[in-house]
């Protein structure tokens, strides 16, 4: 475990102190939880950004489907005449 020192503004420290008391947890615990959640969120956002870049590259390479074909396929779901998925 490493030690990092931070300065908290009063508008953060006071509510943090209150929450720590209410939850019967230390401020350190709450700060670590907040950082874990922030890092997880950032990781998810990075993953989504990479997916977006891949999708954009795919479109630029001409690997896209016609909207009408996709809608017809989706609208056939749950019917007796379900279509096979559109191909490019």
């Amino acid at each position: 475990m490493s030690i990092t020192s931070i300065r908290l503004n009063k508008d953060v420290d006071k509510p943090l102190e209150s929450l720590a008391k209410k939850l019967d947890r230390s401020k350190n615990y709450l700060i670590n939880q907040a950082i874990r959640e922030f890092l997880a969120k950032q990781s998810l956002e990075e993953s989504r950004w990479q997916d977006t870049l891949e999708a954009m590259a795919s479109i630029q390479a001409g690997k896209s489907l016609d909207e009408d074909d996709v809608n017809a396929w989706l609208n056939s779901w749950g019917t007796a005449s379900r279509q096979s998925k559109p191909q490019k």
Side-chain angles (χ1 to χ4, degrees):
M1 181 179 294
S2 67
I3 297 174
T4 300
S5 176
I6 62 169
R7 290 186 186 102
L8 297 176
N9 293 332
K10 287 181 184 179
D11 63 328
V12 173
D13 187 46
K14 297 229 185 245
L16 182 62
E17 183 71 38
S18 296
L19 185 59
K21 287 179 183 175
K22 178 180 176 183
L23 298 176
D24 195 27
R25 294 288 187 169
S26 68
K27 290 194 308 185
N28 181 68
Y29 174 86
L30 296 178
I31 291 168
N32 272 288
Q33 284 298 108
I35 291 171
R36 277 189 204 96
E37 290 176 21
F38 176 80
L39 293 173
K41 181 181 175 189
Q42 292 302 307
S43 177
L44 180 59
E45 287 182 14
E46 179 61 26
S47 176
R48 287 179 178 163
W49 178 244
Q50 291 306 316
D51 289 346
T52 300
L53 292 177
E54 288 176 26
M56 290 171 58
S58 178
I59 289 170
Q60 288 177 342
K63 298 178 184 176
S64 62
L65 300 172
D66 184 72
E67 178 185 4
D68 292 334
D69 294 340
V70 172
N71 285 331
W73 172 57
L74 293 173
N75 289 331
S76 74
W77 289 12
T79 69
S81 57
R82 183 173 175 166
Q83 299 178 8
S84 56
K85 68 179 180 179
Q87 301 292 321
K88 181 66 182 172

